[in-house]
Amino acid sequence: MKEKVKAGILGLCTADALGVPVEFSSRLELKTRPVSGMQGFGTHCQPPGTWSDDSSMALALLDSLCSGLDYEDIMARFRLFLHQGSYTPYGKVFDVGMTCSDAINRSTNLPATRCGGTQESDNGNGSLMRILPLAFYLYAHYGEDFWREKAAIETIHNVSSLTHGHPRSLISCGIYLSIAVLLDRLPPAEAVHVGAARAWDWYAVQEGFALELAHFAWLRDAAFAFLPEEEIRSSGYVVDTLEAALWCLLNADSYKSCVLAAVNLGGDTDTVAAVAGGLAGIAYGLRAIPREWLGTLARADYINSLCTAFADTL
């Protein structure tokens, strides 16, 4: 478990750092000058190895789960991140989504699970990008087929709803975690197929969710993995991010090839890469993450120690 936690979380943070310097770059730009390793400055003028709010909020969730599941505590740590720079590489927030920041600021007056936006326009990727630590928590408490347990699904939805409460965001997080818990024992293609099917079957019979599945129809397409790159969108919309991350995972044969493909799709490069990188880390293991990338990663020792502390609680 300790090895898998480190592989997933470091996989997420490393991929995030790869994408930070080229965030918002177009796919055409990256075709001309593709990312092939850690680089710095660029979009946010940050040193090589700098991760963004994606990793910061995932680490805040991870840290909170060390003491058990407490939504108010998770949100309190999000406030520390936003207002005091906790869980950041250098003590300062340089990039955060408006939907996340609005929800965090609402938490001073509302219960944590009611802070996330519930409008269709609130379906950015801000809960998907940070949800991975919950995969290990769910696996430890409910096993890989957590869809049998109502409490497990409520947990996913509540953790997403801290910042993103629309059913489409909840489904995205559910599908992602359903796949993540299977990558420990199944190859990526099979994990995607089985995990997505379990999530689909649950949501298909739930009022308020069934109609939303039309937005995820690509998951039922046997040819999804073979779609040409030009049909894959890599925007900050949660469905696009999930689709792009899974497409990269299905078309890769290593951690490195997966996350570089994700970054070089352009657009929301750090988040698409982080979402893909967490899955690829679990699938291929900690040793698959290039050592030179880990050697450049900001606060890698801190991330390692936090992963160890979390794994010990499981």
Side-chain angles (χ1 to χ4, degrees), residues 6-300:
K6 287 184 177 182
I9 302 304
L10 283 165
L12 183 158
C13 297
T14 302
D16 180 10
L18 285 165
V20 164
V22 293
E23 187 178 16
F24 310 129
S25 296
S26 72
R27 195 170 300 180
L28 183 59
E29 288 177 281
L30 291 171
K31 288 289 186 189
T32 305
R33 304 171 78 177
V35 173
S36 59
M38 282 289 183
Q39 57 190 49
F41 306 100
T43 303
H44 297 285
C45 298
Q46 298 295 317
T50 302
W51 25 275
S52 74
D53 58 323
D54 305 35
S55 299
S56 294
M57 295 185 74
L59 294 173
L61 172 59
L62 188 73
D63 196 16
S64 182
L65 288 173
C66 288
S67 301
L69 180 66
D70 183 330
Y71 304 119
E72 296 296 338
D73 183 72
I74 298 169
M75 187 61 90
R77 294 173 191 274
F78 288 169
R79 287 196 297 271
L80 288 173
F81 151 69
L82 184 64
H83 299 302
Q84 297 184 29
S86 299
Y87 306 105
T88 64
Y90 310 113
K92 185 177 180 180
V93 176
F94 64 87
D95 181 32
V96 63
M98 186 176 296
T99 305
C100 284
S101 62
D102 287 348
I104 294 168
N105 287 326
R106 280 195 290 268
S107 70
T108 57
N109 299 308
L110 287 174
T113 55
R114 290 177 52 200
C115 291
T118 57
Q119 301 301 308
E120 188 169 19
S121 59
D122 294 319
N123 280 308
N125 52 25
S127 64
L128 180 66
M129 71 186 190
R130 60 167 170 81
I131 203 79
L132 184 64
L134 199 58
F136 307 108
Y137 178 89
L138 292 174
Y139 183 85
H141 287 80
Y142 302 103
E144 67 176 39
D145 193 6
F146 54 74
W147 295 101
R148 301 173 185 272
E149 301 291 342
K150 182 179 179 181
I153 299 157
E154 287 178 348
T155 297
I156 297 170
H157 293 174
N158 285 338
V159 172
S160 176
S161 293
L162 299 176
T163 57
H164 292 70
H166 189 277
R168 205 169 304 162
S169 289
L170 308 187
I171 292 172
S172 296
C173 289
I175 292 169
Y176 182 71
L177 294 178
S178 187
I179 293 167
V181 297
L182 294 171
L183 286 166
D184 183 40
R185 69 172 184 85
L186 297 179
E190 192 173 350
V192 171
H193 174 73
V194 174
R198 286 177 175 175
W200 186 286
D201 290 347
W202 191 89
Y203 287 117
V205 295
Q206 306 299 318
E207 186 177 356
F209 290 100
L211 293 178
E212 286 289 330
L213 289 176
H215 298 279
F216 301 88
W218 46 271
L219 278 172
R220 310 290 276 186
D221 185 351
F224 167 61
F226 306 103
L227 289 176
E229 184 184 272
E230 55 266 26
E231 293 190 32
I232 302 300
R233 297 171 294 277
S234 50
S235 75
Y237 171 44
V238 68
V239 178
D240 285 354
T241 297
L242 179 63
E243 179 180 21
L246 293 179
W247 182 85
C248 290
L249 181 70
L250 291 171
N251 283 283
D253 58 5
S254 67
Y255 173 85
K256 183 176 181 178
S257 62
C258 177
V259 299
L260 289 179
V263 170
N264 286 310
L265 286 175
D268 198 355
T269 53
D270 58 333
T271 304
V272 173
V275 172
L279 297 181
I282 299 172
Y284 294 104
L286 184 59
R287 293 185 181 184
I289 305 174
R291 293 180 68 180
E292 62 270 26
W293 294 359
L294 288 175
T296 307
L297 188 67
R299 300 186 72 190

